[in-house]
Amino acid sequence: MNFHVLTLFPEMIENGMRTSITGRAMEKGILTLHTVNIRDFAFNKHQKVDDYTYGGGAGMLMQAEPVYLAWASVAEKIEKQPRVIYLTPQGRTFRQDMARELAQEENLVFLCGHYEGIDERVLEEIVTDPVSIGDYVLTGGELPAMVMMDAISRMVPGVLNNQESGETESFSGNLLEYPQYSRPEEWHGKKVPEVLLSGHHGNVDKWRREQSILRTAKWRPDLLKGAELSGKEWNYVHQLKKKWKETQEKNENL
Ligand code: 6GU
């Protein structure tokens, strides 16, 4: 996987991505990172890349030409026209299935905006995928680009070692991960659940599955709709919800 990032803050991307697991994958050559400073394509004396918006209104806009030239400098080196992801709160919301799909690409280009955004005309010409990372507004596209590259990298074969990939299916089957414990056996008076010390793998698996369902029902009930549960497990969910509703009603009557 080759990541290309068009940005006014390349050092932010470099520092973030060359750290930890993604950094290790780059040293191994499984990932490459190529940052392009859009300012290098501002052909005026002051290397200015922004200007006022036509029609008035607050803030400055990134101009079309430097963004276009930055993109062209990347595109001319790649045979097949790469997908260009524009980070914007107006885009489609990023999800795990999108990460999995994008991980299949050979090259990905990320376009990071700043100020109030980018001149619409260049977006029309180069962007294939406008993407948001959630419903809140950030100051620029750099953090969202790093969030996406991190999630995509994990899906590229060889980036995680076997031990890491075994633990990373937080979203498998639309269920959240079960709670986990390490030494010591007792900490702040809290004991590790007995079943995990038993060495009985069948019981451990059963407990973990139950905890996953419990946790999903409690924290992310919206995910349960897409979960694959047995009839018995659905029953368990309904019982949990009934119990919580009764507790809530009791508390309201106090
Ligand atoms: Cl992709 N960009 C910005 N600026 N803000 C965001 C976002 C992206 N996703 C959520 N908020």
Side-chain angles (χ1 to χ4, degrees), residues 12 25 53 98 161 188 198 201-202 219:
M12 184 174 173
T53 57
M98 212 192 285
N161 61 41
H188 280 198
S198 68
H201 294 302
W219 292 350

Side-chain angles (χ1 to χ4, degrees), residues 86-91 113-115 131-145 148:
Y86 174 47
L87 289 311
T88 167
Q90 301 174 10
H114 244 270
Y115 314 114
V131 179
S132 162
I133 63 162
D135 290 337
Y136 40 81
V137 182
L138 301 169
T139 55
E142 283 75 15
L143 286 171
M148 286 188 69

